Amino acid sequence: MFTGDGTMLSTLHENFIAVALSFVCAVLNSFGALVLKKCTHFGAFESNFIRLSVTTLIFILLSIPYATKDEINRILPVLIWLALAVIIGLAIGDTFYIKSLQYIGVTRTAAISSVYPLFVGIWGYFAGEKITIFRTLGIFLIVASIWLSTNFSFNRCPETGVILSLGAAVSWAIGIVLIRTYIGGLNVIVANAMRYPFAIPFMLFLLMVNKDKFSNLRKMPREDYIMLTFSGVLTVVSNILFVYSLQIAEASLVSPIVATQPILTSLLAYAILKENINCRVWLSVFLLMVGTILLL
């Protein structure tokens, strides 16, 4: 079954590690979504700017021990692509996501935007990743499980919210594709410390175009700043785990697992808050488990 050098065993081991890290990433994202929902009444642009600023500062501080000359020289040739990944995936994609939260709430926004693994899978097919029948079925089962768990219906969604959620999905997929393509072998913390600052001028420009949004930063309560700072910390940890998992496994394996955030949110509510969950959620968990096994 295994080759003499243990290549297949090594690949399976790396896939299991990538899946585990991706699940942890999804849990952190579920907490982050709840935090963002509480802080978006002042605006999506303002909230995302603060969160990205905190994330950037943390990455810069963490990178100091690792930012050697050799490591920086390795990153510079691909920095423009990594910068595009953070601008498209986080500055644009996350702003779409936060804005969608204001229109249709966490549940429906998460359900629609969770289709981004399908876009990543299509790219993986053309990029030469091993998109087998089993992996394709696994991706579809995971996406179906997410929609099932949210009791989703287009009839209850304002058109603007749907468009924004789909925009977030496409933006995230592009960002993941760029990261997967260009960050291989690089130090994750240093690479993020160098690419995240590119999102700040972009967000500042969007805020300065509308002076009311810029003035909202001064009006925002201290509690919101604290919550958004916590969201930035979660983003740092989640991003490190996510990028590392992309370095050791294919994007078509990692992205569906990270997209399971809505299901994990329901399970966390059941375990911690003792909230009741219905049969739809338990069925979605079963589909999720089957889909994950097929991905491996």
Side-chain angles (χ1 to χ4, degrees), residues 130-157:
K130 296 178 180 178
I131 310 298
T132 63
I133 295 177
F134 290 112
R135 179 164 292 186
T136 302
L137 181 58
I139 292 174
F140 275 99
L141 283 178
I142 289 176
V143 173
S145 70
I146 296 167
W147 281 48
L148 183 65
S149 70
T150 57
N151 196 21
F152 175 80
S153 173
F154 271 115
N155 295 330
R156 294 177 296 173
C157 291

Side-chain angles (χ1 to χ4, degrees), residues 159-272:
E159 182 178 340
T160 302
V162 173
I163 294 173
L164 288 169
S165 296
L166 288 175
V170 173
S171 300
W172 291 341
I174 295 173
I176 291 171
V177 167
L178 291 173
I179 292 174
R180 169 64 179 167
T181 304
Y182 294 104
I183 208 169
L186 302 178
N187 183 286
V188 173
I189 295 177
V190 179
N192 281 327
M194 294 180 66
R195 75 188 184 99
Y196 262 83
F198 284 91
I200 305 304
F202 180 83
M203 295 300 299
L204 270 175
F205 171 76
L206 295 179
L207 288 172
M208 294 179 70
V209 169
N210 189 327
K211 293 182 180 180
D212 291 336
K213 292 184 179 297
F214 200 78
S215 63
N216 280 343
L217 293 175
R218 294 192 298 270
K219 301 176 183 177
M220 193 173 291
R222 180 185 301 176
E223 292 77 11
D224 282 14
Y225 274 103
I226 294 174
M227 295 294 283
L228 288 169
T229 299
F230 178 61
S231 177
V233 174
L234 291 177
T235 301
V236 169
V237 180
S238 173
N239 192 275
I240 291 175
L241 297 178
F242 179 62
V243 174
Y244 180 69
S245 63
L246 282 176
Q247 287 182 327
I248 63 175
E250 296 175 335
S252 56
L253 168 64
V254 173
S255 57
I257 303 301
V258 177
T260 59
Q261 169 192 323
I263 300 175
L264 297 180
T265 302
S266 298
L267 293 178
L268 285 173
Y270 172 76
I272 299 175

